[in-house]
């Protein structure tokens, strides 16, 4: 890549890291950037995934205060994300590139609806709260598994899907749930990255540039995103999710 292209990829990494920290969908910035510079789709997807791993880790670190008291939740859902990310990465290497194209926008829009309805859903859940099922039970675990499969396969708006699930099934503060989302995203991206390193071609220059940019973006996004009030964070999630769906439908 030429110097200007390298600068553009690095800048896209910064933006993607910041967006991933607050919502998710940073892939919709870095992936098209790589495609615009002539990268084949699978190579772009693999290199992008590797590059975004440090950004998701730095975002999780930025939300470390909100993780207090959530170790059990992180272990439970982290297992689902680990399995899902592994399955998704293997699917990427075996299925046609457009296999999920039709269903993904629908999933993202459904997640946005769940985010919008979260206050009402939480009130209903509180009315019939079962102390043994505060984290949504088996349906929520399966939902996180499915989000992990999608994240390992492609990853755009993985955070929107997770936040939609959390808002529908879990009674907790939105920023605390966002902290969990960042950890789960780092697990999914991390396990997928290990698979890709082992068996797929990687453009290490692109991956390195995105990694450097996303690390900075993740820290900055976490610093400011964790200050957003619930209404503002919810609105930002919906805007990014709807935008992601539209982009994927028309592309």
């Amino acid at each position: 890549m030429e110097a200007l292209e390298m600068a553009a990829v690095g800048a896209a990494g910064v933006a993607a890291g910041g967006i991933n920290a607050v919502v998710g969908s940073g892939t919709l910035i870095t992936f098209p950037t790589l495609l615009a510079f002539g990268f084949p789709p699978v190579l772009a997807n693999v290199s992008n995934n590797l590059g975004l791993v440090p950004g998701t880790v730095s975002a999780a670190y930025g939300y470390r205060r909100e993780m207090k008291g959530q170790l059990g939740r992180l272990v439970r859902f982290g297992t689902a994300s680990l399995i899902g990310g592994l399955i998704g990465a293997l699917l990427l290497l075996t299925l046609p590139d457009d296999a999920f194209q039709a269903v993904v926008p629908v999933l993202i829009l459904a997640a946005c609806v769940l985010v919008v309805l979260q206050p009402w859903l939480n009130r209903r859940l509180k009315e019939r709260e079962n102390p043994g099922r505060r984290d949504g039970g088996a349906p929520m675990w399966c939902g996180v598994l499915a989000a992990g499969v999608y994240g390992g396969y492609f990853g755009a708006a993985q955070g929107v899907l997770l936040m939609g699930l959390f808002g529908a099934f879990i009674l907790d503060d939105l920023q605390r749930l966002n902290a969990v989302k960042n950890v789960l995203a780092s697990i999914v991206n991390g396990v997928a990255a290990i698979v890709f390193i082992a068996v797929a071609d990687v453009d290490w220059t692109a991956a390195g540039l995105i990694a450097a940019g996303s690390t900075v973006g993740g820290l900055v996004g976490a610093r400011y995103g964790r200050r957003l009030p619930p209404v503002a964070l919810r609105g930002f999630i919906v805007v990014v999710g709807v935008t992601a769906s539209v982009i994927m439908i028309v592309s």
Side-chain angles (χ1 to χ4, degrees):
M1 289 189 290
E2 297 180 356
L4 184 59
E5 294 176 343
M6 294 175 66
V9 171
V14 174
I19 291 176
N20 279 341
V22 182
V23 185
S25 298
T27 290
L28 293 177
I29 296 177
T30 46
F31 182 67
T33 299
L34 294 180
L35 292 181
F37 292 139
F39 283 71
V42 173
L43 178 61
N45 199 11
V46 168
S47 303
N48 176 66
N49 179 282
L50 263 68
L52 290 178
V53 171
T56 56
V57 173
S58 68
Y61 175 78
Y63 273 86
R64 62 194 180 279
R65 296 180 189 173
E66 285 74 17
M67 293 181 200
K68 292 181 179 179
Q70 300 197 81
L71 179 59
R73 178 180 290 169
L74 291 171
V75 171
R76 183 163 49 256
F77 292 151
T79 303
S81 293
L82 181 67
I83 297 171
L86 177 60
I87 295 172
L90 295 175
L91 288 176
L92 175 66
L93 301 176
T94 56
L95 294 178
D97 294 347
D98 60 351
F100 287 177
Q101 187 172 354
V103 69
V104 166
V106 177
L107 291 175
I108 297 172
L109 289 173
C112 290
V113 172
L114 292 176
V115 171
V116 171
L117 294 177
Q118 184 198 20
W120 178 80
L121 290 169
N122 279 180
R123 286 195 297 270
R124 292 296 301 272
L125 285 172
K126 193 171 184 178
E127 291 172 0
R128 54 185 178 84
E129 181 179 348
N130 181 341
R133 293 174 60 86
R134 290 182 62 86
D135 274 357
M140 182 65 202
W141 193 92
C142 292
V144 173
L145 174 68
V149 173
Y150 168 65
Y153 183 88
F154 182 48
Q158 174 188 184
V160 176
L161 294 176
L162 286 171
M163 291 302 288
L165 288 169
F166 291 162
F169 290 101
I170 299 179
L171 289 167
D172 209 335
D173 177 73
L174 202 61
Q175 292 290 6
R176 281 170 51 83
L177 296 178
N178 202 33
V180 175
K181 178 265 294 179
N182 284 331
V183 174
L184 299 185
S186 66
I187 292 174
V188 171
N189 287 358
V191 70
I194 292 173
V195 173
F196 296 152
I197 290 172
V199 300
D201 293 328
V202 179
D203 188 301
W204 289 103
T205 299
L209 291 168
I210 293 174
S214 67
T215 300
V216 174
L219 290 172
V220 174
R223 178 177 181 181
Y224 293 101
R226 58 197 298 273
R227 301 177 183 178
L228 291 175
V231 173
L233 180 57
R234 191 174 295 113
F236 190 53
I237 292 171
V238 171
V239 170
V240 172
V242 172
T243 302
S245 298
V246 172
I247 291 174
M248 297 181 79
I249 290 172
V250 302
S251 61

